[in-house]
Amino acid sequence: MGGFFGTISKSSCATDLFYGTDYNSHLGTRRGGMATLHEGVFKRSIHNLENSYFRTRFESELEKFQGNSGIGIISDTDPQPIFINSHLGKYAVVTVAKVNNLEELQVELLDKGCHFSEMSSGQINQTELISLLISQGKTFVEGVEIVFEKIKGSCSMLILTEEGIIAARDKWGRTPVLIGKKDGAYAASSEPCSFPNLGYEIDYNVGPGEVVMLTADKMTQLRKPNKKMQVCSFLWVYYGYPVSEYEGVNVDASRYASGMAMAKKDEVDADFVSGIPDSGIGMALGYAEGKGIPYRRAIVKYTPTWPRSFTPANQSVRDLVAKMKLIPNRALLKGKRVIFCDDSIVRGTQLRDNVNILYGYGAKEVHMRIGCPPILHACPFVGFSASKSHLELIARRIVKELEGDDAKDLDKYATTGTEQYNMLVERIREQLNITTLKFNTVEDLIASIGLPKECVCTHCYNGNGCF
């Protein structure tokens, strides 16, 4: 994934830019970058965040970021922001994007006489490629239109220009862009949780494919939103921050509703409910109320040093993070039947280790309730995981074990209550050594989000995503 923040004000923007970008840190672990514009001169810094945090890497450099406009990024892809000097003028750009046809577009641009200067791991930088596509347009809006037309995947972006900040949301609205406003300043962010402590109020939800221009005084629409939307459901399941709202729907309220709905259909007996931190907590609180049994903190996250286990690309690193970051409470677990709520099961890495630890600490029964359906498809639209192959997904590996072909009858495995679905859930339960296991249904997940079904992408569960 990744998240960006941009601000333009009547005074220095460095402090808001620094903290606003930092509030997107839960969306990425690889690199951070900031750029400001002052008297026609851009200043930029990019740092590796894999062994550090955004604030610790950038705090000492704050004095160099002069000016009243700037953009920042937390990225799981290549170094950003990118600087460009073109017929459109000088500009800087950051993107939250997944470009599946990168090589095809690279050849097309090279044939047109373009060149690439920003390389990472032997490959071109996808944000630079997007900037070159923008520069193909006669205007910034036309350039953004070219990006929407050309790339396969998704792309939301901020463009820092000499006239202001242009914010453009992915044409299907897969990733969010929200506008905040306070006296004398505007901001754009992937995460609205960046606004309150900086004094901003949510002023506008940028629509799918919409483009707006921000100055210190106003927001101007440059391109109207598209009529159709496919916002990623995983915002509410996992990577959205609990206090954030997207499309007017609060993340924690959605998780709470999801847990309550699941509890009312569940006949299992247990002594208490516990959430797997952090994203399982809201669901567990709803489940506890729906079930009428207590909520207890039987497992606690050690927050000072351990990142999210979902994002590291290396499996051994994921295993280590999954093991080390969560600490069980032996006093609560011993001899108890516990229902644990978690956001998802992707590879099974974290859950497998956690379950074995819970039994080791004396849990009598470990019942798992999962906030989304089984994940059967790697996401082609949003880079919310480091999965490179369908077979990294535990559900697809089990389909292959059962069928000899990991792509056979996927529609049946994705449909709650079918023979294939029940076999899939039972095999996952067995492999992870869980007493009982249940997944949320697509229907209940959509209901807990509260948006029309056709507006929410559920591709990773059932393959029903618009290309």
Side-chain angles (χ1 to χ4, degrees), residues 8-9 163-165 185-186 213-220:
I8 184 166
S9 66
E163 285 73 42
I165 295 175
Y186 274 90
M213 165 74 84
L214 303 179
T215 65
D217 297 305
K218 63 180 179 179
M219 180 189 76
T220 304

Side-chain angles (χ1 to χ4, degrees), residues 403-423:
E403 302 287 352
D405 178 356
D406 71 283
K408 185 177 179 181
D409 289 339
L410 289 182
D411 57 332
K412 295 178 181 178
Y413 282 99
T415 304
T416 304
T418 64
E419 180 182 355
Q420 289 85 349
Y421 176 90
N422 292 337
M423 285 194 300

Side-chain angles (χ1 to χ4, degrees), residues 5-27:
F5 183 91
T7 183
I8 184 166
S9 66
K10 294 181 178 179
S11 57
S12 173
C13 73
T15 299
D16 280 7
L17 178 62
F18 172 68
Y19 288 109
T21 304
D22 183 63
Y23 275 119
N24 286 266
S25 290
H26 61 286
L27 295 173

Side-chain angles (χ1 to χ4, degrees), residues 379-450:
C379 179
F381 310 119
V382 180
F384 69 73
S385 86
S387 297
K388 302 296 190 298
S389 162
H390 290 303
L391 290 177
E392 289 188 34
L393 306 172
I394 188 172
R396 284 295 279 269
R397 294 199 302 271
I398 288 174
V399 170
K400 186 172 183 179
E401 290 172 10
L402 292 169
E403 302 287 352
D405 178 356
D406 71 283
K408 185 177 179 181
D409 289 339
L410 289 182
D411 57 332
K412 295 178 181 178
Y413 282 99
T415 304
T416 304
T418 64
E419 180 182 355
Q420 289 85 349
Y421 176 90
N422 292 337
M423 285 194 300
L424 172 65
V425 174
E426 176 59 17
R427 284 291 184 96
I428 295 174
R429 186 200 69 78
E430 290 175 352
Q431 290 191 14
L432 300 183
N433 193 27
I434 300 167
T435 308
T436 67
L437 171 65
K438 290 187 178 181
F439 290 87
N440 202 0
T441 66
V442 170
E443 292 77 14
D444 283 349
L445 174 59
I446 296 297
S448 73
I449 294 171

Side-chain angles (χ1 to χ4, degrees), residues 232-357:
C232 178
S233 63
F234 228 56
L235 276 166
W236 291 275
V237 172
Y238 175 73
Y239 63 77
Y241 209 66
V243 300
S244 289
E245 291 184 3
Y246 316 104
E247 311 303 327
V249 180
N250 176 263
V251 170
D252 213 49
S254 174
R255 293 172 183 171
Y256 190 92
S258 173
M260 180 175 283
M262 182 174 278
K264 290 180 177 179
K265 299 177 181 179
D266 201 348
E267 298 179 356
V268 70
D269 291 323
D271 297 303
F272 63 84
V273 182
S274 187
I276 304 293
D278 287 316
S279 42
I281 293 174
M283 178 189 172
L285 289 168
Y287 188 101
E289 180 169 334
K291 191 72 172 172
I293 59 177
Y295 176 87
R296 295 285 185 269
R297 297 178 69 191
I299 189 165
V300 179
K301 181 180 176 183
Y302 188 74
T303 57
T305 57
W306 291 101
R308 303 183 88 159
S309 61
F310 195 76
T311 48
N314 183 280
Q315 181 65 52
S316 64
V317 175
R318 290 196 295 265
D319 291 342
L320 177 64
V321 173
K323 176 182 178 182
M324 299 300 289
K325 75 171 185 175
L326 299 179
I327 305 174
N329 189 331
R330 186 189 297 270
L332 291 180
L333 287 167
K334 191 172 182 180
K336 299 297 184 181
R337 303 166 301 165
V338 187
I339 296 169
F340 287 94
C341 293
D342 204 358
D343 51 79
S344 59
I345 301 178
V346 183
R347 303 172 187 86
T349 303
Q350 179 174 335
L351 194 53
R352 180 189 63 240
D353 290 343
N354 287 343
V355 168
N356 291 335
I357 290 169

